[in-house]
Amino acid sequence: MVRQHEQPPPYPRGNGGRGRLKVFLGAAPGVGKTYRMLDEARRRADRGTDVVVAFVECHGRRSTEERLERLEVMPRLTRSYRGTEFTELDTDAVVARRPEVALVDELAHTNIPGGRYAKRWQDVLELLDAGIDVITTVNVQHLESLNDVVEKITGVPQRETVPDEVVRRADQIELVDMAPEGLRRRMAHGNVYAAEKVDAALSHYFRVGNLTALRELALFWLAGRVDEGLQRYRAEHGIGSVWETRERVVVALTGGNEGETLIRRAARIADRATGGEVLAVHVARSDGLADASPAALAAQRRLVESLGGSYHSVVGDNVPRALLDFARAENATQLVLGTSRRSALLRSLTGRGIGETTVELSGDIDVHMVTHEQSGRGRRLPVPGRLHSRGRRIAGPLAGLVTPFVLTALLSQTRGTVNLTSDILLFLVAVVGVALLGGVTSALVASLIASVLLNYYFIPPIHQFTISSPNNVLALVVFATVAMVVAAVVDRAARLSRRAARATAEAETLSALTGSILGGQSAVEALLARLRETFGMESVTLLHQQPVDSASLVYAMDREAVAHVGPRGTSGPEDPPGQASPEASEGQSVEEVPVGEDAVLVLRGRPLPAADRKVLAAFAAHVAVALDRARLAEAAAEVEPVKAADRMRTALLAAVSHDLRTPLAVALASVSSLRSQDVQFSPEDQAELLLTAEESLGKLTRLVDNLLDMSRLQAGALSLELQPTALEDVLSAAVDSLTETVPLAVRTQGLEQAPPVLADPPLLERVIANLVANALRHNGTDPVLVTASTLDSSVEIRVIDRGPGLPSADWDRVFLPFQRLGDTDNDTGVGLGLALSRGLAEAMGGTLTPENTPGGGLTMVLSLPAETTHHEEAQP
């Protein structure tokens, strides 16, 4: 027997032997999704394709019903629920019929309880698994990731949602678009809703602003999905060139004061194109970047994120290539750089800078060189030998061979004006310069050559290798010794400087990583994404592994992909669970790094140098901690319901000690007095005592009923019987049940015109009774107003009082059990009324929210699904 909420088979990653899914996506009800779907079906049928209509809702629209002609319509499954007959998709019948294509309307629809699945999209997955192509429809407000955004825009909560992943994995998504004005005209002509609903819909959900915002959401969501498909195609076909389908502006940050200027300029460039994106990147080099202030980078990161961009940090010895590799990996179209801070003289001495090299290598990426206040002012003293590592390996030995001869030629021209001491010091300076450029080996060669040249050209006798004066011998020996020692010290200092700079770059990378996690990103996915972009890998996969059996613990491991980050826009394991393979494609390297005892990181891409292993190990340690935290969070989530139940029991025992005893004591005293033989009561006194006992027992009954219903809600065992319910009848019964109130203190408005709601009548009576009683308690002498109005597919019941009101900060607290905000005594109940009312409303598929009453007071808004629209969604 399959349970109501059983999940369908796992969504496959490929389409071999599996049906294909096409989705017609709309921004709002009425744009024409079902009509377009039926048109598509008729075209396929005319081409000879076996097409059946598995489930389509026409909602009485003649133009849509005409599209069903010449199409085979499958019989529906009839299911009884709470005394009402509903029709649903008969999945088993469609699978048994095995058509080539099945039409299934309203992908986000919630099935009537009692079926195999809770949601229709789960039925669709079963049809796909059976090899049947499916064409379906869905509105953007039903996408899970946009649910809260749509509610903020329209003010209407969407109870029926579909996971984004289901729609995102569709083989085709086609947007059915319509301008807001056109949709409103279609609605005004009666082509979407019945005539009595048109005015309310146009003035609420279907306002021009709402429709424009929903349309923009649909366009952007689909654009993101198209971009993901494009990136996946580029990655699969090895396309490295930039395709300018969307403006992506990469801005390079050094940590200098010019960073904010560059970010704002990049943001302006991106804003010129709709959907432009800004990506700020800082390259942490192994030999360091002078004056890269962590505080400045942190401030610049906050700025770019406040402008809607993203911040990234990568490690690279070759800064121009690292920038361009990052830009091409992100399919960036433009790159923003600051002009050099070096002076013109320094640029002429040290050669091309990062900007000039980047422009030369940029290819099809536009490079913007932006001037700023720091241009040409310099930022550090010139460092001899600021060449690339390969250049230094060539220039160092060459300088060691050539420099002594050049200096000898120059000093030979000043013979007689410069003494021997000055000659030795100048040669010493030259040896130190060679040491900075080429290291200790080049300096040793230069010192030996310089010693020979000093002896031959400058120490008497000239042009002979003999030395006449012992002092000159000592001077030459001291020169050679000092030259070699200084060269060794300079070389060691340079190595330590590079090592310290490397540590700084690693610290900046880990700092950016920590910031991304603290910024609210998913820990494991954020770590993997940072890891991939930091080391420039093609993909990073986290695998959970466990030994197949104890005898083959080392070599036989069962691996399951936990998370995967690949090229931009792709996520999720590339291989099915248990089949994740670490093998690399041609030209790629695979690195495996253990993560704790039961997981491993698999990196595919370029070979990693040994210097990167330490940072990689730090990433692995962070991933291990993130996995442990996730497991602890899951364990804590499992314990939380038990803790909540314990808190509920504690609060219940503390609250009922007085509230149960008081009505019991009053009722017992009244009955005892009536039974007493010592006192003779008059008929009036007896009636008063009986009334007192009745009222006390009535309070006690309501209190016990509330406690029992709250317990059922907490345990999920509340039984519902949803059926069409007239609000006027329920309100009358609710007011009559309040024996301590006067019915004349309640006024109604609009209840007769409101359509029936789908609710459980006794529970709805309890909810309204609690709301009215709460309003009467705080309303003073003014009557409580109860109104009803239709909004989209819901009916809103408002219970309005003119009491002191409630601060918005306490709106959430008022629905907690055992809260009596504003009450000064314990005689009015245990504070379960509003908590129980919200719980019952949500159990019936509705909501209960407070809002301020204009002019003072509190309004409780109870929203319930209208009975006429419970089993349908508006389509054209």
Side-chain angles (χ1 to χ4, degrees), residues 430-619:
V431 172
V432 172
V434 172
L436 288 172
L437 179 62
V440 67
T441 302
S442 300
L444 179 60
V445 173
S447 65
L448 292 176
I449 296 175
S451 299
V452 173
L453 293 176
L454 276 171
N455 181 19
Y456 189 80
Y457 286 100
F458 299 102
I459 297 178
I462 304 299
H463 299 153
Q464 296 182 18
F465 288 104
T466 59
I467 302 176
S468 60
S469 173
N471 288 332
N472 291 338
V473 174
L474 178 62
L476 185 60
V477 171
V478 170
F479 162 76
T481 303
V482 171
M484 287 186 288
V485 171
V486 170
V489 171
V490 170
D491 182 72
R492 176 175 172 79
R495 291 177 183 274
L496 293 176
S497 176
R498 287 193 296 271
R499 192 177 303 170
R502 175 73 184 187
T504 301
E506 293 171 355
E508 290 175 359
T509 300
L510 294 177
S511 174
L513 167 67
T514 305
S516 66
I517 298 174
L518 295 178
Q521 301 180 18
S522 174
V524 175
E525 292 185 1
L527 284 165
L528 298 187
R530 289 290 178 183
L531 177 59
R532 188 188 73 85
E533 72 181 24
T534 297
F535 295 106
M537 306 303 289
E538 288 295 325
S539 65
V540 180
T541 305
L542 177 63
L543 301 176
H544 173 74
Q545 60 181 11
Q546 57 185 1
V548 176
D549 54 65
S550 58
S552 54
L553 181 60
V554 177
Y555 299 103
M557 304 295 289
D558 183 19
R559 291 183 166 186
E560 179 181 1
V562 177
H564 172 85
V565 175
R568 179 180 181 85
T570 63
S571 61
E574 288 293 326
D575 303 302
Q579 301 178 14
S581 172
E583 296 181 1
S585 59
E586 184 178 354
Q588 285 188 338
S589 173
V590 172
E591 302 283 347
E592 292 197 17
V593 183
V595 177
E597 298 179 355
D598 56 356
V600 63
L601 278 174
V602 178
L603 294 85
R604 293 179 177 88
R606 65 181 181 89
L608 290 177
D612 291 336
R613 301 288 177 175
K614 184 169 64 175
V615 180
L616 186 57
F619 270 98

Side-chain angles (χ1 to χ4, degrees), residues 68-127:
L68 287 173
E69 296 177 1
R70 297 187 292 109
L71 293 175
E72 178 183 349
V73 180
M74 295 289 297
R76 297 184 182 183
L77 182 67
T78 301
R79 183 170 292 126
S80 177
Y81 182 70
R82 306 303 183 190
T84 304
E85 298 293 329
F86 297 98
T87 59
E88 289 283 8
L89 168 66
D90 193 342
T91 306
D92 293 335
V94 178
V95 172
R97 168 66 172 75
R98 298 197 65 81
E100 294 181 67
V101 180
L103 308 187
V104 181
D105 208 2
E106 301 175 3
L107 183 63
H109 170 78
T110 300
N111 292 332
I112 293 298
R116 179 179 298 133
Y117 301 125
K119 297 288 187 176
R120 183 168 292 165
W121 60 263
Q122 296 171 302
D123 293 292
V124 168
L125 294 187
E126 182 173 339
L127 296 179

Side-chain angles (χ1 to χ4, degrees), residues 525-708:
E525 292 185 1
L527 284 165
L528 298 187
R530 289 290 178 183
L531 177 59
R532 188 188 73 85
E533 72 181 24
T534 297
F535 295 106
M537 306 303 289
E538 288 295 325
S539 65
V540 180
T541 305
L542 177 63
L543 301 176
H544 173 74
Q545 60 181 11
Q546 57 185 1
V548 176
D549 54 65
S550 58
S552 54
L553 181 60
V554 177
Y555 299 103
M557 304 295 289
D558 183 19
R559 291 183 166 186
E560 179 181 1
V562 177
H564 172 85
V565 175
R568 179 180 181 85
T570 63
S571 61
E574 288 293 326
D575 303 302
Q579 301 178 14
S581 172
E583 296 181 1
S585 59
E586 184 178 354
Q588 285 188 338
S589 173
V590 172
E591 302 283 347
E592 292 197 17
V593 183
V595 177
E597 298 179 355
D598 56 356
V600 63
L601 278 174
V602 178
L603 294 85
R604 293 179 177 88
R606 65 181 181 89
L608 290 177
D612 291 336
R613 301 288 177 175
K614 184 169 64 175
V615 180
L616 186 57
F619 270 98
H622 277 74
V623 172
V625 172
L627 284 175
D628 290 340
R629 290 181 60 185
R631 291 165 182 164
L632 290 174
E634 291 178 1
E638 293 175 357
V639 174
E640 185 58 33
V642 179
K643 294 172 61 179
D646 289 341
R647 290 193 297 267
M648 178 70 70
R649 294 189 193 98
T650 302
L652 177 60
L653 292 175
V656 302
S657 60
H658 178 278
D659 293 275
L660 287 177
R661 184 170 59 247
T662 300
L664 278 174
V666 173
L668 181 61
S670 299
V671 174
S672 299
S673 299
L674 289 172
R675 295 189 60 196
S676 175
Q677 301 296 328
D678 299 332
V679 180
Q680 296 296 324
F681 293 100
S682 65
E684 292 79 7
D685 293 337
Q686 292 179 4
E688 183 177 355
L689 288 173
L690 288 172
L691 179 61
T692 301
E694 182 182 5
E695 291 180 351
S696 299
L697 293 175
K699 291 181 180 179
L700 182 61
T701 300
R702 286 193 299 276
L703 176 59
V704 172
D705 288 342
N706 283 344
L707 291 173
L708 291 175

Side-chain angles (χ1 to χ4, degrees), residues 780-834:
T781 58
D782 294 331
V784 171
L785 177 62
V786 180
T787 68
S789 60
T790 303
L791 177 60
D792 195 31
S793 60
S794 302
V795 176
E796 291 186 345
I797 303 102
R798 282 176 163 79
V799 180
I800 306 170
D801 69 58
R802 296 289 180 178
L806 193 67
S808 58
D810 291 334
W811 284 359
D812 290 332
R813 289 178 54 209
V814 78
F815 292 106
L816 297 177
F818 314 113
Q819 293 290 329
R820 292 182 298 276
L821 298 180
D823 291 345
T824 57
D825 56 55
N826 201 33
D827 295 334
T828 54
V830 294
L832 281 175
L834 293 180

Side-chain angles (χ1 to χ4, degrees), residues 344-377:
L345 176 61
L346 188 56
R347 290 198 299 272
S348 65
L349 294 176
T350 58
R352 293 183 308 173
I354 293 174
E356 291 85 351
T357 305
T358 303
V359 171
E360 180 179 341
L361 301 175
S362 61
D364 48 6
I365 299 178
D366 298 336
V367 180
H368 299 263
M369 299 294 294
V370 179
T371 59
H372 49 86
E373 295 181 354
Q374 305 299 320
S375 296
R377 295 187 178 184

